[in-house]
Amino acid sequence: MDQAAARLYRYIGPPELLATVAPGQSGRLLDSAQAVRAWVAQVGGEPFTYVVNAAGRLLAADRRSEHVACAGGRDVLGAGELSLRGTATGWAVAEVSNQSTGYAPEPASWPAVAAALDHAGIAHPGGFTAAFDFRRCPACTELNLVKDGDYTCCLCEAPLPARWHG
């Protein structure tokens, strides 16, 4: 994947969560079969939080962790939730999403996620198993997770923009 063509997503979540990220903090780097095996041994079969950092590498954290903590407060190429399953030849994605309200990555972030999974040696499907669209309401500024194609703000019921502007 061409990293220059990939979009970086900045953190747009609550500032008080960003303030809790300690200097040098980030998720666990999953860059080899050994690192993935050790991570799976730690979390078992539970889904976990992931980000793809600006270098295109997969970082993982406990599912109850905030994406911004996993990213060390930095911009990301992708973020969401991930679960893995063992195969005869290694590890494969069981489920992967772009569900991160802290970064609100577009479904178009998939190529960066796929490249990071490839680098980690994790087999994957051709796209997110669950992809989400996010929109910020121009009327009340609430971040919305678009469901069932309904582009109406969940808080004030104003129409949401057709395109994401981050």
Side-chain angles (χ1 to χ4, degrees):
M1 188 194 83
D2 179 9
Q3 295 295 344
R7 175 178 176 192
L8 278 172
Y9 296 90
R10 64 183 169 76
Y11 179 70
I12 61 170
E16 59 270 16
L17 292 180
L18 178 59
T20 66
V21 179
Q25 177 182 356
S26 68
R28 179 177 293 175
L29 178 63
L30 301 184
D31 63 348
S32 67
Q34 180 180 359
V36 174
R37 188 170 40 255
W39 177 251
V40 172
Q42 180 179 328
V43 298
E46 272 194 48
F48 54 91
T49 294
Y50 81 86
V51 299
V52 177
N53 68 15
R57 298 300 178 247
L58 185 65
L59 301 174
D62 182 273
R63 185 178 198 178
R64 289 160 282 291
S65 299
E66 294 292 334
H67 288 96
V68 69
C70 186
R74 295 178 184 84
D75 294 348
V76 300
L77 294 169
E81 292 188 351
L82 178 62
S83 62
L84 302 176
R85 60 181 170 77
T87 70
T89 58
W91 297 100
V93 167
E95 294 183 22
V96 60
S97 77
N98 65 320
Q99 188 171 356
S100 167
T101 56
Y103 286 100
E106 298 167 288
S109 65
W110 172 253
V113 175
L117 291 166
D118 287 342
H119 183 79
I122 300 170
H124 56 79
F128 291 113
T129 57
F132 299 95
D133 286 308
F134 300 90
R135 298 292 186 272
R136 182 152 322 267
C137 179
C140 72
T141 72
E142 178 72 15
L143 181 64
N144 286 260
L145 175 67
V146 176
K147 294 180 182 174
D148 302 322
D150 182 5
Y151 287 79
T152 305
C153 179
C154 64
L155 191 64
C156 74
E157 298 186 0
L160 297 172
R163 295 179 47 109
W164 175 241
H165 298 291

